[in-house]
Amino acid sequence: MIAFENVAYNYGGGELLSDMSLRLAPGSFHFLTGPSGSGKSTFLKLCYAELKPTAGHVTLFDREVRTLARDDVAQMRRRIGVVHQDCQFLDHLPLAANVTLPLTVSDREVSPEDVGDLLGWVGLRHLADALPPQLSGGERQRAAVARAVIIGPDVILADEPTGNLDWELSLRLLKLLVELNRMGKTIVVATHDMNLIRQTKSQVAARVLRIQNRRIQLAGADL
Amino acid sequence: MTRFFTLLLHGDRHADRVVPPTGHTAWLTSFTAGAMTFLAVFALALSLASGRMADRWSDALARTATVRISAPADQLDFQTRAVLDVLATTPGVESARAMTDEEQRKLLEPWFGPDLPVDALPIPRLVELTEASDGYDSEGLRQRLAAEAPGAVLDDHTRWRRPLATAAGRLRLLGLASILLIGVTMAAMITLAANASLAANAQVIQVLRLVGARDTYIVRAFVRRFTFRALAGSAAGALAAMIGVALLPSADAAGGFLTGLGFTGWGWLLPLALPLLAALVAFFATRTAAFQKLKELP
């Protein structure tokens, strides 16, 4: 689904990631950990072709990222839902329009009933007409999950999705991601919250990947 | 491209909404299009008027000529008859007649007043000729006149008609070049406004790319907005300029060159094409700017 082969990434001020090789299997659940600035966000950006590797090969759905034209990248992103820590909404559009954005930009029909059901799933049905700045941090994160899944992606990437949330809201959000994984979606969650990882591992078979010294390692026993 | 135009004309409610309204670029685009179209209408009026003037001068002067006879008083009538005989037998000359004293007095009246004693002054006699459609051989006629009437000089107006027609033709070209320059300036201004709008909406574009929007979708949202802003501004500018042209002094009041500085008949429809041209300019300027800007983004 997503494969890295000897991948390196250099921002220009030295190598941030180097010699990374891994394969994200369909239906798997991965946590990505590592200290701040270790390259978790960069790893995720490589996963949805926001960045291209400076060395090695990233393959998305059996296609090498470097060979993708801009329209191909857009097409790939319709198969990858991304949840950012800052959510990245269009502040002038109501919540429902923001959540349905992946459908509208791909000229697909938007069913108001389906949108209502989806917002109900994340507990935001009553806020469909609210503007993003009117939402709390937890509401925004859940809305971001709704937007990430509305188009039925194969992979969901979440970058510090619980960074601004309290413990209870964090667990609620992780529960949503676990539910999605049970529906067959591949999930990658970047977080440095070890308690959250332990809590989630009790519900789902998750692999923990750690970025340390520019390389990715499979973690486990030390958690 | 066809689908692009179809969506542009029919609209795309969602694409229109994803870009937030941006006040200053909207105002700048509409104002630029309006002001440029206003100037373009006057340049068009100038160009059309110059064209009409060039044609009128050419038509009026091309088919007439004058033979001036300067001779001693006792030979004037003889040479006049000789000139008329020569002209009557010259192929390409449709008609010829000697101007009367009264007509010559009227010609000189603006300079010497109404009481000019034409009989008492050694004024040359003028013979006016009209050429047939196939024209005459002016050099041959000159030689025949020199042989039959030594005091006769043929003036076929070429000497002063040509610079006038050339000037009017160049004025017409200048008008057209002005329209072209105005169009290019408008394209440059709209490109700047589109770039400003794209830069101001970098975050919006990033979100759209993130959720899988193709470049054409993003470009469409911007292009449609700028095209219609330009169309509206240009239509207002064209209307204002047409009213301005209609209010120019009439022929009776002003006279001269200004009398022709307007539109006649179907010519009034030409300024209406300018808003469509402005919309086209805006369409391509915004489209090019947007695609170029998007290429800079990952």
Side-chain angles (χ1 to χ4, degrees):
Chain A
M1 196 158 272
I2 297 179
F4 281 47
E5 191 185 328
N6 304 319
V7 168
Y9 189 79
N10 190 333
Y11 269 113
E15 209 161 59
L16 183 65
L17 302 173
S18 65
D19 200 22
M20 274 191 167
S21 295
L22 82 156
R23 187 171 292 273
L24 301 179
S28 58
F29 196 120
H30 292 82
F31 280 107
L32 182 66
T33 67
S36 293
S38 60
K40 298 191 291 294
S41 296
T42 302
F43 174 86
L44 293 182
K45 283 179 180 174
L46 288 166
C47 286
Y48 62 89
E50 170 99 8
L51 298 175
K52 289 181 181 169
T54 45
H57 303 281
V58 174
T59 310
L60 299 183
F61 308 106
D62 300 322
R63 292 194 62 186
E64 158 66 39
V65 163
R66 278 208 197 82
T67 65
L68 296 176
R70 288 179 64 80
D71 278 356
D72 296 329
V73 171
Q75 199 65 39
M76 289 291 170
R77 287 183 185 165
R78 293 175 190 180
R79 300 179 68 181
I80 301 172
V82 183
V83 181
H84 280 275
Q85 186 175 3
D86 59 0
C87 300
Q88 300 203 355
F89 288 124
L90 301 184
D91 286 347
H92 65 288
L93 292 183
L95 179 63
N98 265 291
V99 166
T100 55
L101 209 51
L103 294 177
T104 53
V105 300
S106 49
D107 294 326
R108 281 161 65 170
E109 284 298 313
V110 177
S111 153
E113 292 77 27
D114 291 347
V115 178
D117 288 347
L118 181 62
L119 287 176
W121 177 66
V122 293
L124 298 174
R125 190 192 290 268
H126 62 293
L127 291 171
D129 296 325
L131 294 175
Q134 297 169 324
L135 304 179
S136 69
E139 288 164 345
R140 286 168 66 85
Q141 289 293 356
R142 280 180 281 150
V145 172
R147 187 182 66 184
V149 302
I150 196 166
I151 204 164
D154 300 307
V155 179
I156 293 164
L157 307 173
D159 189 4
E160 299 281 5
T162 61
N164 297 324
L165 304 183
D166 59 30
W167 177 246
E168 195 180 325
L169 279 174
S170 299
L171 287 180
R172 196 166 163 189
L173 190 74
L174 256 295
K175 197 177 161 203
L176 289 176
L177 294 172
V178 169
E179 277 181 44
L180 288 166
N181 180 245
R182 286 180 183 146
M183 290 176 201
K185 312 292 182 196
T186 304
I187 312 281
V188 181
V189 182
T191 181
H192 57 265
D193 188 339
M194 295 302 169
N195 288 331
L196 195 69
I197 295 174
R198 287 191 194 96
Q199 187 71 29
T200 311
K201 281 192 82 173
S202 64
Q203 303 167 43
V204 67
R207 283 177 80 192
V208 180
L209 307 168
R210 174 181 284 167
I211 299 178
Q212 203 158 29
N213 299 326
R214 305 194 308 272
R215 286 180 165 75
I216 202 153
Q217 306 165 343
L218 182 63
D222 54 342
L223 289 173
Chain B
M1 185 69 103
T2 311
R3 179 176 149 74
F4 198 93
F5 269 115
T6 309
L7 282 165
L8 183 81
L9 291 174
H10 291 182
D12 180 338
R13 195 165 52 87
H14 297 299
D16 287 349
R17 287 176 62 202
V18 295
V19 182
T22 42
H24 74 284
T25 54
W27 181 86
L28 183 65
T29 307
S30 301
F31 176 77
T32 302
M36 291 298 163
T37 307
F38 188 87
L39 296 174
V41 169
F42 279 102
L44 183 66
L46 173 75
S47 180
L48 291 176
S50 308
R52 280 198 301 272
M53 198 161 60
D55 294 344
R56 201 164 55 228
W57 284 345
S58 296
D59 284 351
L61 301 174
R63 299 188 63 231
T64 61
T66 309
V67 178
R68 193 176 68 247
I69 306 159
S70 302
D74 58 330
Q75 289 184 26
L76 198 58
D77 287 342
F78 173 76
Q79 289 205 22
T80 302
R81 272 196 304 277
V83 166
L84 288 170
D85 287 345
V86 168
L87 292 174
T89 56
T90 302
V93 174
E94 194 172 270
S95 63
R97 70 177 188 87
M99 295 182 80
T100 63
D101 288 347
E102 185 59 28
E103 285 174 316
Q104 292 202 192
R105 188 179 289 117
K106 277 190 178 167
L107 282 176
L108 296 170
E109 200 176 279
W111 288 273
F112 297 105
D115 303 323
L116 180 72
V118 173
D119 297 339
L121 291 171
I123 293 171
R125 175 64 49 84
L126 298 177
V127 172
E128 187 184 68
L129 71 90
T130 306
E131 67 179 79
S133 57
D134 50 350
Y136 60 86
D137 170 14
S138 58
E139 199 45 48
L141 179 59
R142 274 197 184 92
Q143 286 174 8
R144 287 184 67 202
L145 287 173
E148 301 293 332
V153 175
L154 173 66
D155 179 2
D156 61 2
H157 305 155
T158 307
R159 192 163 39 91
W160 57 280
R161 186 183 69 207
R162 192 171 290 152
L164 269 181
T166 305
R170 288 201 179 144
L171 210 54
R172 171 161 50 182
L173 279 178
L174 209 62
L176 292 174
S178 301
I179 293 171
L180 191 69
L181 273 178
I182 287 167
V184 171
T185 307
M186 184 158 68
M189 293 290 283
I190 290 173
T191 301
L192 286 176
N195 273 327
S197 179
L198 288 159
N201 288 296
Q203 175 70 18
V204 172
I205 292 169
Q206 192 183 344
V207 173
L208 292 174
R209 288 283 302 164
L210 181 74
V211 297
R214 289 195 170 128
D215 286 353
T216 46
Y217 181 91
I218 300 167
V219 168
R220 207 163 67 211
F222 283 92
V223 165
R224 184 175 152 77
R225 183 166 293 191
F226 276 82
T227 301
F228 281 97
R229 279 175 191 166
L231 183 66
S234 180
L239 191 70
M242 284 169 77
I243 292 170
V245 170
L247 291 177
L248 280 174
S250 67
D252 293 340
F257 174 69
L258 286 176
T259 60
L261 197 60
F263 300 107
T264 54
W266 290 100
W268 280 101
L269 294 178
L270 285 174
L272 299 178
L274 291 175
L276 296 175
L277 281 175
L280 262 183
V281 166
F283 172 86
F284 284 108
T286 316
R287 193 169 186 273
T288 308
F291 272 119
Q292 216 153 22
K293 195 84 183 169
L294 285 172
K295 270 184 195 160
E296 294 167 10
L297 301 174

